[in-house]
Amino acid sequence: MHGMEISKLLSILSYIFFLALVYSFCSITPTSSSSLQHDFIKCLHRNTHIDFPLDQTFFAPAKIVSMFNEVLESTAQNLRFLTKSMPKPGFIFNPIDESHVQASIICSTKHDIHLRVRSGGHDYEGLSYVSEIEKPQINVNIKDNSAWVQAGATVGLQDCREEQSPWVSGWFVLELRHRRAHNRRCYGSMMRKYGLGGDNVLDAKIVDANGKILNRTSMGEDMFWAIKGGGGASFGIILAWKIKLVPVPKTVTVFTVTKTLQQDATRILSKWQVVADKLVEELFIRVIFNVAGNNGNKTVTTSYNALFLGNKGMLMKVMKKSFPELGLTRIESVEMSWIESIVYISGFPSQTPTNVLLQGKSPFPKINFKAKSDFVKKPIPESGLKGMFKKFLKEDSPMMIWNPYGGMMAKISESQIPFPHRKGIIFKIQYMTAWPNSEKRPSRHINWIRDLYSYMMPYVSSNPRQAYVNYRDLDLGKNKKNTKTSFKQAQVWGAKYFKDNFNRLVRIKSKVDPDNFFRHEQSIPPHV
């Protein structure tokens, strides 16, 4: 699959919410499995006053054809984790009311069930996937420029709903992804102007490990801080977020300029590294790397994909002053509304109507992929870039995305929310490779990306080498498969994602979920 198609796929994944209940023990006989399911359902009925039709909410594996696999695999994007050899949940419960979420936690505790909340379809390591929820509510309050957004709202649904005024939440992606009702830091093309989604959260509704629904006041400021980016599924299940809306101009401008190695790509990329984080806050220029051609004609393409919060005339002045090397022309710059720019940045063909964002599922094909991430503090020298390009050309369908920092990202302290990658970061790297189901040796692609990651070590952050938790990477380490996760063991990957904030997250986890009810391979552990 072409790298740009991968980029499109990852840009518009749908984000919704369901519970996948996994037995906390390794094997269960058919009799005990059936008995446990029956007991769990009885417990649910006792702990909620809202009925749930079993044919729509409860799914279990069966020898005959059942909905279980369809629900489990419905919108999972990474085919790597849909193979028969991968572990599957014992059964799935799809809540249709908040009280069902509460009851699920209470009953999982009572019957010693390991509960996982799956959603998002975005989890790179397959720790969570997606189910469907009907019409999640989005209530916009124009008077105080805020909105309550229910868990389950897709990015497109939210953006379209909020287009009714000049105040929008940008790319506040309310995915429950591997937050399993978690707390996305939210990257987007307005991050240099307004920061991340997590920087703009005003309140939240969360179900804690005791099955209680809390808001900002009742959960306290420590827990509220933790859920705004503190590692998916570690503290509870988010039911809704209250977010601060931010203004956008009536007209924005976008462009994509592509340069190959034969078109002086190395020199232009070197200049981008110098200016990307220093441009005016209204301008976001990311670089998307792909390969084109084949055999002797194969080359690396660098596509400068941008959003400017202003008109074309203003953009041209900024580019002429700060980044003339790119050679941007007025013809390549396109003015449009902000909501149209979301369609553009998502990689849809030109003239695609904005209602495409209302689709509940990604229109792009599922793929097998592996991804990793890095943060860069100093420009990578041309010698390093040339070596990187050389390795890039050895893979079939590689992709990288370099996201610029600076602006508001550099003004917010590392400790304001758990996300610590702030001042001093020039840009973030996402590495990715993909392969078809027909691939006989998928390990060669994973080995390739690990080799590239190793090659980049001298050019990226160190002590610790930082990573982005929403590009989940189990190569960095993972927790033991029990409730007594080692703090020392978790600190290895935790410091990469959260730096010094990891220690505070552990302290908060120890207070709000000391028994480690909410856990997975890279969840925050209590300090035991």
Side-chain angles (χ1 to χ4, degrees), residues 13-18 75 77 118-123 128-131 175-178:
L13 294 171
S14 57
Y15 306 93
I16 47 183
F17 164 35
F18 83 113
T75 51
Q77 300 300 335
R118 286 187 166 185
S119 63
H122 185 275
D123 195 308
S128 68
Y129 288 130
V130 171
S131 177
E175 53 148 30
L176 297 183
R177 187 167 68 116
H178 58 220

PDB file of all heavy atoms in Angstrom, residues 13-18 75 77 118-123 128-131 175-178:
ATOM      1  N   LEU A  13      -9.439   7.922  11.314  1.00  0.00           N
ATOM      2  CA  LEU A  13      -9.999   6.770  12.016  1.00  0.00           C
ATOM      3  C   LEU A  13     -11.169   7.206  12.888  1.00  0.00           C
ATOM      4  O   LEU A  13     -11.167   8.273  13.488  1.00  0.00           O
ATOM      5  CB  LEU A  13      -8.922   6.128  12.896  1.00  0.00           C
ATOM      6  CG  LEU A  13      -7.756   5.503  12.130  1.00  0.00           C
ATOM      7  CD1 LEU A  13      -6.676   5.099  13.102  1.00  0.00           C
ATOM      8  CD2 LEU A  13      -8.221   4.314  11.338  1.00  0.00           C
ATOM      9  N   SER A  14     -12.197   6.380  12.946  1.00  0.00           N
ATOM     10  CA  SER A  14     -13.342   6.713  13.786  1.00  0.00           C
ATOM     11  C   SER A  14     -13.042   6.385  15.236  1.00  0.00           C
ATOM     12  O   SER A  14     -12.240   5.509  15.539  1.00  0.00           O
ATOM     13  CB  SER A  14     -14.573   5.916  13.332  1.00  0.00           C
ATOM     14  OG  SER A  14     -14.288   4.544  13.358  1.00  0.00           O
ATOM     15  N   TYR A  15     -13.726   7.086  16.139  1.00  0.00           N
ATOM     16  CA  TYR A  15     -13.434   6.924  17.554  1.00  0.00           C
ATOM     17  C   TYR A  15     -14.716   6.700  18.334  1.00  0.00           C
ATOM     18  O   TYR A  15     -15.503   7.615  18.496  1.00  0.00           O
ATOM     19  CB  TYR A  15     -12.752   8.184  18.093  1.00  0.00           C
ATOM     20  CG  TYR A  15     -11.543   8.552  17.311  1.00  0.00           C
ATOM     21  CD1 TYR A  15     -11.629   9.445  16.265  1.00  0.00           C
ATOM     22  CD2 TYR A  15     -10.321   7.985  17.604  1.00  0.00           C
ATOM     23  CE1 TYR A  15     -10.512   9.781  15.529  1.00  0.00           C
ATOM     24  CE2 TYR A  15      -9.207   8.308  16.879  1.00  0.00           C
ATOM     25  CZ  TYR A  15      -9.307   9.210  15.839  1.00  0.00           C
ATOM     26  OH  TYR A  15      -8.196   9.531  15.116  1.00  0.00           O
ATOM     27  N   ILE A  16     -14.942   5.471  18.782  1.00  0.00           N
ATOM     28  CA  ILE A  16     -16.124   5.177  19.555  1.00  0.00           C
ATOM     29  C   ILE A  16     -15.810   4.199  20.680  1.00  0.00           C
ATOM     30  O   ILE A  16     -14.648   3.953  20.964  1.00  0.00           O
ATOM     31  CB  ILE A  16     -17.252   4.649  18.650  1.00  0.00           C
ATOM     32  CG1 ILE A  16     -16.693   3.589  17.737  1.00  0.00           C
ATOM     33  CG2 ILE A  16     -17.881   5.744  17.860  1.00  0.00           C
ATOM     34  CD1 ILE A  16     -17.661   3.044  16.746  1.00  0.00           C
ATOM     35  N   PHE A  17     -16.815   3.595  21.289  1.00  0.00           N
ATOM     36  CA  PHE A  17     -16.597   3.089  22.632  1.00  0.00           C
ATOM     37  C   PHE A  17     -17.311   1.766  22.898  1.00  0.00           C
ATOM     38  O   PHE A  17     -18.471   1.644  22.616  1.00  0.00           O
ATOM     39  CB  PHE A  17     -17.112   4.190  23.545  1.00  0.00           C
ATOM     40  CG  PHE A  17     -17.363   3.857  24.959  1.00  0.00           C
ATOM     41  CD1 PHE A  17     -16.576   2.964  25.633  1.00  0.00           C
ATOM     42  CD2 PHE A  17     -18.382   4.496  25.624  1.00  0.00           C
ATOM     43  CE1 PHE A  17     -16.800   2.709  26.962  1.00  0.00           C
ATOM     44  CE2 PHE A  17     -18.616   4.245  26.944  1.00  0.00           C
ATOM     45  CZ  PHE A  17     -17.824   3.351  27.606  1.00  0.00           C
ATOM     46  N   PHE A  18     -16.593   0.779  23.418  1.00  0.00           N
ATOM     47  CA  PHE A  18     -17.247  -0.422  23.928  1.00  0.00           C
ATOM     48  C   PHE A  18     -16.340  -1.171  24.887  1.00  0.00           C
ATOM     49  O   PHE A  18     -15.155  -0.917  24.962  1.00  0.00           O
ATOM     50  CB  PHE A  18     -17.738  -1.331  22.794  1.00  0.00           C
ATOM     51  CG  PHE A  18     -16.707  -2.249  22.215  1.00  0.00           C
ATOM     52  CD1 PHE A  18     -16.817  -3.603  22.381  1.00  0.00           C
ATOM     53  CD2 PHE A  18     -15.645  -1.752  21.480  1.00  0.00           C
ATOM     54  CE1 PHE A  18     -15.889  -4.462  21.827  1.00  0.00           C
ATOM     55  CE2 PHE A  18     -14.726  -2.594  20.920  1.00  0.00           C
ATOM     56  CZ  PHE A  18     -14.841  -3.953  21.090  1.00  0.00           C
ATOM     57  N   THR A  75     -14.077  -2.460  13.168  1.00  0.00           N
ATOM     58  CA  THR A  75     -13.306  -1.361  12.586  1.00  0.00           C
ATOM     59  C   THR A  75     -11.858  -1.346  13.071  1.00  0.00           C
ATOM     60  O   THR A  75     -11.212  -0.306  13.070  1.00  0.00           O
ATOM     61  CB  THR A  75     -13.967   0.003  12.895  1.00  0.00           C
ATOM     62  OG1 THR A  75     -14.214   0.091  14.289  1.00  0.00           O
ATOM     63  CG2 THR A  75     -15.257   0.179  12.137  1.00  0.00           C
ATOM     64  N   GLN A  77      -8.133  -1.447  12.681  1.00  0.00           N
ATOM     65  CA  GLN A  77      -7.399  -1.022  11.490  1.00  0.00           C
ATOM     66  C   GLN A  77      -6.123  -1.811  11.239  1.00  0.00           C
ATOM     67  O   GLN A  77      -5.665  -1.890  10.111  1.00  0.00           O
ATOM     68  CB  GLN A  77      -7.065   0.466  11.607  1.00  0.00           C
ATOM     69  CG  GLN A  77      -8.287   1.365  11.737  1.00  0.00           C
ATOM     70  CD  GLN A  77      -9.227   1.264  10.558  1.00  0.00           C
ATOM     71  OE1 GLN A  77      -8.814   0.910   9.456  1.00  0.00           O
ATOM     72  NE2 GLN A  77     -10.498   1.554  10.781  1.00  0.00           N
ATOM     73  N   ARG A 118     -12.400  -1.114  25.029  1.00  0.00           N
ATOM     74  CA  ARG A 118     -11.839  -0.989  23.698  1.00  0.00           C
ATOM     75  C   ARG A 118     -12.559   0.089  22.905  1.00  0.00           C
ATOM     76  O   ARG A 118     -13.781   0.184  22.939  1.00  0.00           O
ATOM     77  CB  ARG A 118     -11.966  -2.303  22.935  1.00  0.00           C
ATOM     78  CG  ARG A 118     -10.997  -3.360  23.390  1.00  0.00           C
ATOM     79  CD  ARG A 118     -11.089  -4.550  22.480  1.00  0.00           C
ATOM     80  NE  ARG A 118      -9.959  -5.444  22.686  1.00  0.00           N
ATOM     81  CZ  ARG A 118      -9.742  -6.514  21.952  1.00  0.00           C
ATOM     82  NH1 ARG A 118     -10.553  -6.809  20.973  1.00  0.00           N
ATOM     83  NH2 ARG A 118      -8.707  -7.278  22.189  1.00  0.00           N
ATOM     84  N   SER A 119     -11.768   0.857  22.153  1.00  0.00           N
ATOM     85  CA  SER A 119     -12.364   1.840  21.266  1.00  0.00           C
ATOM     86  C   SER A 119     -11.280   2.503  20.466  1.00  0.00           C
ATOM     87  O   SER A 119     -10.095   2.324  20.720  1.00  0.00           O
ATOM     88  CB  SER A 119     -13.136   2.892  22.060  1.00  0.00           C
ATOM     89  OG  SER A 119     -12.250   3.592  22.881  1.00  0.00           O
ATOM     90  N   GLY A 120     -11.670   3.283  19.481  1.00  0.00           N
ATOM     91  CA  GLY A 120     -10.716   4.077  18.736  1.00  0.00           C
ATOM     92  C   GLY A 120     -10.270   3.500  17.431  1.00  0.00           C
ATOM     93  O   GLY A 120     -10.228   4.178  16.422  1.00  0.00           O
ATOM     94  N   GLY A 121      -9.883   2.244  17.417  1.00  0.00           N
ATOM     95  CA  GLY A 121      -9.354   1.667  16.194  1.00  0.00           C
ATOM     96  C   GLY A 121      -7.990   2.222  15.842  1.00  0.00           C
ATOM     97  O   GLY A 121      -7.385   1.857  14.840  1.00  0.00           O
ATOM     98  N   HIS A 122      -7.465   3.087  16.692  1.00  0.00           N
ATOM     99  CA  HIS A 122      -6.234   3.811  16.401  1.00  0.00           C
ATOM    100  C   HIS A 122      -5.035   3.192  17.103  1.00  0.00           C
ATOM    101  O   HIS A 122      -3.901   3.530  16.803  1.00  0.00           O
ATOM    102  CB  HIS A 122      -6.427   5.262  16.856  1.00  0.00           C
ATOM    103  CG  HIS A 122      -5.308   6.191  16.522  1.00  0.00           C
ATOM    104  ND1 HIS A 122      -4.195   6.334  17.309  1.00  0.00           N
ATOM    105  CD2 HIS A 122      -5.126   7.033  15.477  1.00  0.00           C
ATOM    106  CE1 HIS A 122      -3.382   7.240  16.777  1.00  0.00           C
ATOM    107  NE2 HIS A 122      -3.916   7.669  15.674  1.00  0.00           N
ATOM    108  N   ASP A 123      -5.291   2.286  18.037  1.00  0.00           N
ATOM    109  CA  ASP A 123      -4.203   1.753  18.844  1.00  0.00           C
ATOM    110  C   ASP A 123      -3.225   0.974  17.977  1.00  0.00           C
ATOM    111  O   ASP A 123      -3.563  -0.048  17.393  1.00  0.00           O
ATOM    112  CB  ASP A 123      -4.755   0.854  19.950  1.00  0.00           C
ATOM    113  CG  ASP A 123      -3.712   0.573  21.014  1.00  0.00           C
ATOM    114  OD1 ASP A 123      -2.614   0.151  20.656  1.00  0.00           O
ATOM    115  OD2 ASP A 123      -4.003   0.801  22.202  1.00  0.00           O
ATOM    116  N   SER A 128      -6.645  -1.965  21.735  1.00  0.00           N
ATOM    117  CA  SER A 128      -8.073  -1.648  21.744  1.00  0.00           C
ATOM    118  C   SER A 128      -8.559  -1.442  20.324  1.00  0.00           C
ATOM    119  O   SER A 128      -7.806  -1.052  19.446  1.00  0.00           O
ATOM    120  CB  SER A 128      -8.354  -0.393  22.574  1.00  0.00           C
ATOM    121  OG  SER A 128      -7.816   0.744  21.957  1.00  0.00           O
ATOM    122  N   TYR A 129      -9.824  -1.692  20.135  1.00  0.00           N
ATOM    123  CA  TYR A 129     -10.431  -1.474  18.835  1.00  0.00           C
ATOM    124  C   TYR A 129     -11.756  -0.762  18.987  1.00  0.00           C
ATOM    125  O   TYR A 129     -11.904   0.069  19.863  1.00  0.00           O
ATOM    126  CB  TYR A 129     -10.570  -2.794  18.075  1.00  0.00           C
ATOM    127  CG  TYR A 129      -9.261  -3.323  17.580  1.00  0.00           C
ATOM    128  CD1 TYR A 129      -8.883  -4.639  17.805  1.00  0.00           C
ATOM    129  CD2 TYR A 129      -8.364  -2.482  16.926  1.00  0.00           C
ATOM    130  CE1 TYR A 129      -7.663  -5.121  17.364  1.00  0.00           C
ATOM    131  CE2 TYR A 129      -7.149  -2.952  16.482  1.00  0.00           C
ATOM    132  CZ  TYR A 129      -6.800  -4.269  16.699  1.00  0.00           C
ATOM    133  OH  TYR A 129      -5.593  -4.734  16.262  1.00  0.00           O
ATOM    134  N   VAL A 130     -12.746  -1.064  18.168  1.00  0.00           N
ATOM    135  CA  VAL A 130     -13.942  -0.223  18.079  1.00  0.00           C
ATOM    136  C   VAL A 130     -15.244  -1.008  18.066  1.00  0.00           C
ATOM    137  O   VAL A 130     -15.299  -2.100  17.559  1.00  0.00           O
ATOM    138  CB  VAL A 130     -13.872   0.612  16.788  1.00  0.00           C
ATOM    139  CG1 VAL A 130     -15.170   1.342  16.513  1.00  0.00           C
ATOM    140  CG2 VAL A 130     -12.756   1.615  16.896  1.00  0.00           C
ATOM    141  N   SER A 131     -16.269  -0.411  18.619  1.00  0.00           N
ATOM    142  CA  SER A 131     -17.643  -0.855  18.406  1.00  0.00           C
ATOM    143  C   SER A 131     -18.454   0.394  18.102  1.00  0.00           C
ATOM    144  O   SER A 131     -17.897   1.477  18.003  1.00  0.00           O
ATOM    145  CB  SER A 131     -18.175  -1.569  19.644  1.00  0.00           C
ATOM    146  OG  SER A 131     -19.513  -1.935  19.464  1.00  0.00           O
ATOM    147  N   GLU A 175     -11.186  10.350  20.860  1.00  0.00           N
ATOM    148  CA  GLU A 175     -11.161   8.922  20.694  1.00  0.00           C
ATOM    149  C   GLU A 175     -11.013   8.277  22.040  1.00  0.00           C
ATOM    150  O   GLU A 175     -10.344   8.801  22.904  1.00  0.00           O
ATOM    151  CB  GLU A 175      -9.975   8.542  19.829  1.00  0.00           C
ATOM    152  CG  GLU A 175      -8.712   9.129  20.363  1.00  0.00           C
ATOM    153  CD  GLU A 175      -7.542   8.261  20.084  1.00  0.00           C
ATOM    154  OE1 GLU A 175      -7.551   7.571  19.101  1.00  0.00           O
ATOM    155  OE2 GLU A 175      -6.638   8.271  20.890  1.00  0.00           O
ATOM    156  N   LEU A 176     -11.600   7.128  22.175  1.00  0.00           N
ATOM    157  CA  LEU A 176     -11.390   6.358  23.384  1.00  0.00           C
ATOM    158  C   LEU A 176     -10.316   5.326  23.155  1.00  0.00           C
ATOM    159  O   LEU A 176     -10.059   4.500  23.972  1.00  0.00           O
ATOM    160  CB  LEU A 176     -12.681   5.687  23.817  1.00  0.00           C
ATOM    161  CG  LEU A 176     -13.731   6.706  24.157  1.00  0.00           C
ATOM    162  CD1 LEU A 176     -14.975   6.025  24.642  1.00  0.00           C
ATOM    163  CD2 LEU A 176     -13.197   7.625  25.217  1.00  0.00           C
ATOM    164  N   ARG A 177      -9.796   5.301  22.025  1.00  0.00           N
ATOM    165  CA  ARG A 177      -8.697   4.490  21.597  1.00  0.00           C
ATOM    166  C   ARG A 177      -8.121   3.643  22.699  1.00  0.00           C
ATOM    167  O   ARG A 177      -8.793   2.974  23.424  1.00  0.00           O
ATOM    168  CB  ARG A 177      -7.599   5.391  21.068  1.00  0.00           C
ATOM    169  CG  ARG A 177      -6.517   4.562  20.458  1.00  0.00           C
ATOM    170  CD  ARG A 177      -5.613   5.356  19.684  1.00  0.00           C
ATOM    171  NE  ARG A 177      -4.857   6.224  20.453  1.00  0.00           N
ATOM    172  CZ  ARG A 177      -3.564   6.176  20.569  1.00  0.00           C
ATOM    173  NH1 ARG A 177      -2.899   5.254  19.982  1.00  0.00           N
ATOM    174  NH2 ARG A 177      -2.925   7.055  21.228  1.00  0.00           N
ATOM    175  N   HIS A 178      -6.794   3.667  22.867  1.00  0.00           N
ATOM    176  CA  HIS A 178      -6.236   2.889  23.945  1.00  0.00           C
ATOM    177  C   HIS A 178      -6.245   3.672  25.229  1.00  0.00           C
ATOM    178  O   HIS A 178      -5.614   3.326  26.178  1.00  0.00           O
ATOM    179  CB  HIS A 178      -4.821   2.413  23.618  1.00  0.00           C
ATOM    180  CG  HIS A 178      -3.892   3.527  23.329  1.00  0.00           C
ATOM    181  ND1 HIS A 178      -2.959   3.471  22.342  1.00  0.00           N
ATOM    182  CD2 HIS A 178      -3.758   4.737  23.879  1.00  0.00           C
ATOM    183  CE1 HIS A 178      -2.284   4.597  22.312  1.00  0.00           C
ATOM    184  NE2 HIS A 178      -2.743   5.361  23.228  1.00  0.00           N
TER     185      HIS A 178
END
